[in-house]
Amino acid sequence: MLPTLENSEKFKTEFNNFKSKISEITNESLKKDLNDKLTQLLREVRFIDMQHQELLSRKEIPSMVPDSRSKLLEVRKYIIKKLEDWDRSHP
């Protein structure tokens, strides 16, 4: 079995860290927004993993991988920024 982003220690650690921090947020609207983004992050990682699998089986580069990587980075940055803003406003 090939290594995947979803099963990497780095992703698991970051994902669990995000999840833990989000669970501590008392603003329900922000919490829901961040949980939705966390779900989106996982969806993008799984999509990239699937595209990598196809790359190996078909031996051609899927056109959507760069777009999905960009989405993944955008979602990560969004989550990080919102969590940092929350931490600054709720020491």
Side-chain angles (χ1 to χ4, degrees), residues 32 37 59-60 65 72 77 90:
K32 181 184 178 336
K37 291 295 183 184
K59 306 229 187 289
E60 62 185 46
V65 169
L72 176 74
K77 286 178 182 179
H90 298 83

Side-chain angles (χ1 to χ4, degrees), residues 11-72:
F11 178 74
K12 287 181 190 178
T13 300
E14 182 174 67
F15 185 86
N16 289 331
N17 188 19
F18 286 159
K19 195 172 183 178
S20 175
K21 287 181 178 183
I22 291 169
S23 72
E24 296 172 6
I25 293 176
T26 56
N27 178 316
E28 290 303 318
S29 175
L30 178 60
K31 184 185 261 187
K32 181 184 178 336
D33 179 43
L34 288 173
N35 276 320
D36 289 347
K37 291 295 183 184
L38 198 58
T39 300
Q40 183 181 358
L41 181 74
L42 184 57
R43 205 171 35 243
E44 294 300 331
V45 164
R46 286 177 174 164
F47 182 76
I48 290 171
D49 283 342
M50 182 187 70
Q51 293 296 308
H52 285 165
Q53 289 286 32
E54 285 185 29
L55 169 67
L56 293 171
S57 64
R58 292 185 184 178
K59 306 229 187 289
E60 62 185 46
I61 299 173
S63 62
M64 298 183 71
V65 169
D67 184 46
S68 195
R69 285 183 183 161
S70 295
K71 286 180 189 175
L72 176 74

